[in-house]
Amino acid sequence: MSLARVEAAVPLFKEALAGRQRLFGDSSWLTFSTESNLALATGETAPPEHSLATLRALLERARTLSDPPRYTILGLHNNVGATLLDLGRPAQARPHLAAALELVNGLLDVDHASVLQIRANLASLDADLGQAEHGFAEYQDIAERFARTLGPGAEDTLHARHGVWSCAAKAGRWNDAAAGFEKLLDDVVASVSAGHPLVAQTQHSLANALRRDGRLAAALPHARAAAAAFLARYGVEHPRSKATAALQAEIEAGLAAMGVR
């Protein structure tokens, strides 16, 4: 979703939330669902810590209900875990994602998008915690299932393929990762809008893999494109903007040290 559409959605979620609180009260799963959606939408335009605090508060409230809404708690665990992953805190994220997977098992089909997304979050987390090859194998299976059920150009399929090569990178397979991200970038550009965040995310990942593989000159255009896209979308203080700006600066410094301008 574009930033403009996210910004337009926030007041609509706020309006829906006010209506559901009035009609159903604060304990309804409908109210919790709307609050969770509002937190996630707000997180696209504000620091992730903001939405994390809201999601955690919602989860604690849901747990205190006499009849806790199972599906809502499942979604909140997953969203808290995913947000913690975005913030680079995998050890804190894992209990939430494991709880979400435990809740969803037996409720939904193994190929259901929600099941696959929770598996993907856990695969990414385990790769961050030193099990990169396990994450690689998990993401390959997830990507194949998404491609079969949703199609090869679906966003979920493309995100899962990004996860495959992110795990290869975390395993130190920089050449493999660069080749995978390069092919993925072509497919992402062909499948989604030019301003979609997955384009910039893939450019960043490709630039980093090329840098780690010693190909600084090839990495620089991708780093610059990703940095410009994240800055325009999120602003200078967002973690993604900072990370990509730092990557660009590191590549430029490496080229300068080699006498390349």
Side-chain angles (χ1 to χ4, degrees):
M1 182 181 293
S2 69
L3 182 59
R5 291 177 65 188
V6 171
E7 290 175 337
V10 168
L12 297 177
F13 280 132
K14 288 181 177 179
E15 183 179 350
L17 176 59
R20 288 184 168 180
Q21 286 174 324
R22 184 172 61 254
L23 291 172
F24 306 112
D26 290 336
S27 299
S28 167
W29 72 268
L30 291 168
T31 302
F32 276 97
S33 176
T34 307
E35 285 189 89
S36 179
N37 288 334
L38 174 59
L40 290 173
T42 303
E44 285 292 307
T45 59
E49 288 284 2
H50 178 86
S51 60
L52 176 62
T54 303
L55 291 167
R56 278 179 158 164
L58 286 170
L59 180 58
E60 289 307 309
R61 278 176 48 206
R63 284 169 166 167
T64 66
L65 300 178
S66 57
D67 184 20
R70 187 171 184 182
Y71 281 100
T72 302
I73 290 176
L74 184 163
L76 287 168
H77 270 302
N78 184 65
N79 291 338
V80 169
T83 304
L84 285 165
L85 279 181
D86 282 345
L87 289 166
R89 291 148 65 178
Q92 294 179 36
R94 199 179 203 295
H96 291 287
L97 297 177
L101 188 60
E102 182 178 353
L103 284 167
V104 81
N105 278 334
L107 293 176
L108 300 174
D109 183 80
V110 292
D111 284 337
H112 193 283
S114 295
V115 176
L116 295 177
Q117 187 55 61
I118 295 170
R119 282 184 59 197
N121 288 336
L122 271 170
S124 178
L125 182 152
D126 286 339
D128 286 340
L129 294 176
Q131 300 179 55
E133 294 296 348
H134 166 73
F136 181 85
E138 274 287 282
Y139 261 119
Q140 281 189 311
D141 181 64
I142 292 163
E144 289 169 4
R145 290 176 184 272
F146 271 135
R148 185 172 63 250
T149 57
L150 302 179
E155 285 187 33
D156 285 335
T157 304
L158 297 170
H159 275 289
R161 286 177 57 195
H162 186 278
V164 170
W165 300 113
S166 293
C167 289
K170 290 169 185 175
R173 294 160 47 193
W174 302 111
N175 186 269
D176 290 344
F181 283 130
E182 191 166 19
K183 176 63 170 67
L184 175 61
L185 181 59
D186 290 339
D187 293 342
V188 169
V189 170
S191 300
V192 302
S193 66
H196 195 285
L198 184 56
V199 175
Q201 184 181 359
T202 306
Q203 289 170 324
H204 173 102
S205 299
L206 174 56
N208 187 54
L210 289 167
R211 176 186 69 88
R212 295 298 297 266
D213 200 43
R215 291 180 274 169
L216 298 183
L220 184 56
H222 298 294
R224 284 176 170 169
F230 282 140
L231 179 63
R233 181 178 180 86
Y234 297 117
V236 69
E237 292 302 320
H238 194 279
R240 290 183 181 176
S241 301
K242 289 181 176 180
T244 308
L247 174 63
Q248 177 184 334
E250 187 170 350
I251 293 169
E252 290 173 340
L255 288 170
M258 296 164 57
V260 178
R261 298 292 179 181

